[in-house]
Amino acid sequence: MKKSNKQNFEIKAIEGGSISFYASAFGVVDSHKDITHKGTFIHTIEEFNAGNVSVDLRLEHKSTFKTVGSIIEMEIDEVGLICKAIFHDNPIGRKVHKIAKEAFETKSEEILFSIGFVTLEESDIEVKGEKVRSIDSLLLGEVSIVEKPSNKEAKVIEVKNEVKGSNLRAILIQELNN
């Protein structure tokens, strides 16, 4: 069963044709009442590093047009899952890369992300008196740039390179409607 757990990503840097960000902030109950922790992504990272899985970068979880990039690195720290992605050298990949750089540099709008995954192990836990689903292990399938993420804890840190003249949300909506 494929589950889309919308979480926003904390962008650490965009250099050249790549972007680095936090894919998931640990210990945060999202609007789907899901929570991830340090062990959640271990299986994905093992499979990814072994070359057994690839992870796409998409727009709004849509598979109806070309992906905008690919995840090339993953690691875990105390805050969450860190991913590095490269943008594809196709028209939409180049466009989204330029827009993401501008949006961050001008602070005109946030760049928000969501993850699509298959749950491998889960358990019910209580957090602040509320029953939530702990995602104990998953297999990450894709990461999407979205307008409405569930996890609002991650924030943009840094994006490098100057690009001017595009509106991220307007371009994403236009691309999704084509």
Side-chain angles (χ1 to χ4, degrees):
M1 167 174 99
K2 185 168 182 176
K3 171 77 175 178
S4 175
N5 183 20
K6 292 185 176 184
Q7 296 186 357
N8 64 321
F9 287 63
E10 182 174 329
I11 297 176
K12 295 181 73 176
I14 294 180
E15 297 178 318
S18 69
I19 183 172
S20 297
F21 48 83
Y22 277 104
S24 179
F26 301 149
V28 176
V29 177
D30 70 16
S31 65
H32 295 286
K33 298 200 185 305
D34 290 340
I35 191 169
T36 62
H37 50 83
K38 206 168 188 175
T40 301
F41 296 93
I42 291 173
H43 178 77
T44 290
I45 291 173
E46 288 171 349
E47 291 295 307
F48 180 82
N49 288 340
N52 297 329
V53 297
S54 61
V55 180
D56 291 336
L57 182 62
R58 296 183 183 168
L59 297 177
E60 296 286 351
H61 300 291
K62 302 285 185 185
S63 59
T64 55
F65 50 83
K66 292 181 181 180
T67 61
V68 298
S70 298
I71 305 298
I72 59 169
E73 293 176 18
M74 283 189 245
E75 67 178 278
I76 297 170
D77 71 4
E78 295 303 314
V79 174
L81 173 69
I82 301 169
C83 290
K84 180 177 183 178
I86 56 169
F87 289 94
H88 290 178
D89 189 16
N90 60 33
I92 194 165
R94 288 188 298 271
K95 185 183 294 185
V96 172
H97 177 239
K98 288 179 182 181
I99 294 165
K101 288 190 295 184
E102 178 198 339
F104 177 76
E105 290 170 353
T106 63
K107 307 287 189 233
S108 61
E109 55 192 305
E110 288 186 288
I111 305 165
L112 307 171
F113 295 81
S114 173
I115 59 176
F117 60 90
V118 175
T119 302
L120 302 176
E121 295 178 35
E122 63 182 69
S123 58
D124 292 329
I125 63 171
E126 193 171 304
V127 176
K128 296 181 182 178
E130 183 176 33
K131 181 181 169 185
V132 300
R133 180 173 76 146
S134 173
I135 308 295
D136 300 320
S137 180
L138 61 75
L139 186 59
L140 187 62
E142 57 93 8
V143 176
S144 286
I145 299 171
V146 297
E147 283 198 78
K148 296 178 182 176
S150 290
N151 182 332
K152 300 187 186 302
E153 290 296 312
K155 305 289 182 210
V156 173
I157 295 174
E158 179 181 37
V159 179
K160 297 181 180 177
N161 296 333
E162 183 176 338
V163 177
K164 300 194 183 299
S166 300
N167 179 290
L168 178 62
R169 285 192 173 83
I171 295 295
L172 296 182
I173 291 167
Q174 178 185 355
E175 291 297 332
L176 291 171
N177 290 328
N178 287 338

